[in-house]
Amino acid sequence: MFIILRKMVVKEGHADQIIDQFSQKGIIDEQDGLIDTTIMKKKARRAEEEEVIVMFRWESEEHWKKWEKSDAHIAAHKAKRGQPKPDYLISVENERYEVQAVKKASELQR
């Protein structure tokens, strides 16, 4: 399993905009190998900021790379090229992880 984490820090009161955006059905949802998308919200340490993390779980890194190189993904980014980032968006970080192990809670109770 391969995971992409996108962490977005936004000005207070704007996390719901990011959550709504990533909650909408999109082309990525139809991609082969996408397992699911999880959207999480955390109040950042400074009161004037909020943090949203979007976790995309893929069957493999190869599935994710296929999405990254797809015509649909590239076209979506080209359409946004030249547009200013929203003024409420403070920072965006992307991280990649290869899952090494998954342990389910029920296995712990045996």
Side-chain angles (χ1 to χ4, degrees):
M1 186 181 325
F2 188 72
I3 294 177
I4 299 292
L5 288 182
R6 178 174 291 159
K7 180 174 85 170
M8 292 157 279
V9 178
V10 297
K11 292 179 183 175
E12 185 177 29
H14 292 277
D16 289 341
Q17 289 174 265
I18 300 294
I19 293 166
D20 289 344
Q21 174 188 345
F22 282 94
S23 296
Q24 301 296 315
K25 183 163 176 62
I27 295 172
I28 191 172
D29 299 310
E30 301 168 8
Q31 298 308 300
D32 184 42
L34 180 68
I35 297 169
D36 59 24
T37 303
T38 302
I39 305 158
M40 300 166 272
K41 177 181 172 182
K42 171 187 163 187
K43 188 74 167 181
R45 292 179 187 192
R46 289 188 259 149
E48 65 271 7
E49 297 177 355
E50 295 173 316
E51 183 178 297
V52 177
I53 295 179
V54 182
M55 179 175 69
F56 300 94
R57 291 191 319 149
W58 294 89
E59 290 178 18
S60 69
E61 184 175 6
E62 290 71 33
H63 282 98
W64 169 73
K65 285 180 178 178
K66 185 177 176 184
W67 159 245
E68 285 285 300
K69 295 177 181 177
S70 72
D71 292 341
H73 185 253
I74 292 168
H77 281 276
K78 280 185 180 178
K80 293 179 181 178
R81 193 176 294 159
Q83 294 179 1
K85 73 173 191 167
D87 64 345
Y88 57 83
L89 186 60
I90 297 169
S91 67
V92 177
E93 295 177 26
N94 292 296
E95 298 291 339
R96 305 172 193 176
Y97 299 89
E98 183 71 40
V99 175
Q100 301 299 302
V102 175
K103 184 167 49 173
K104 297 183 180 180
S106 61
E107 294 171 4
L108 298 174
Q109 297 173 0
R110 291 183 188 166

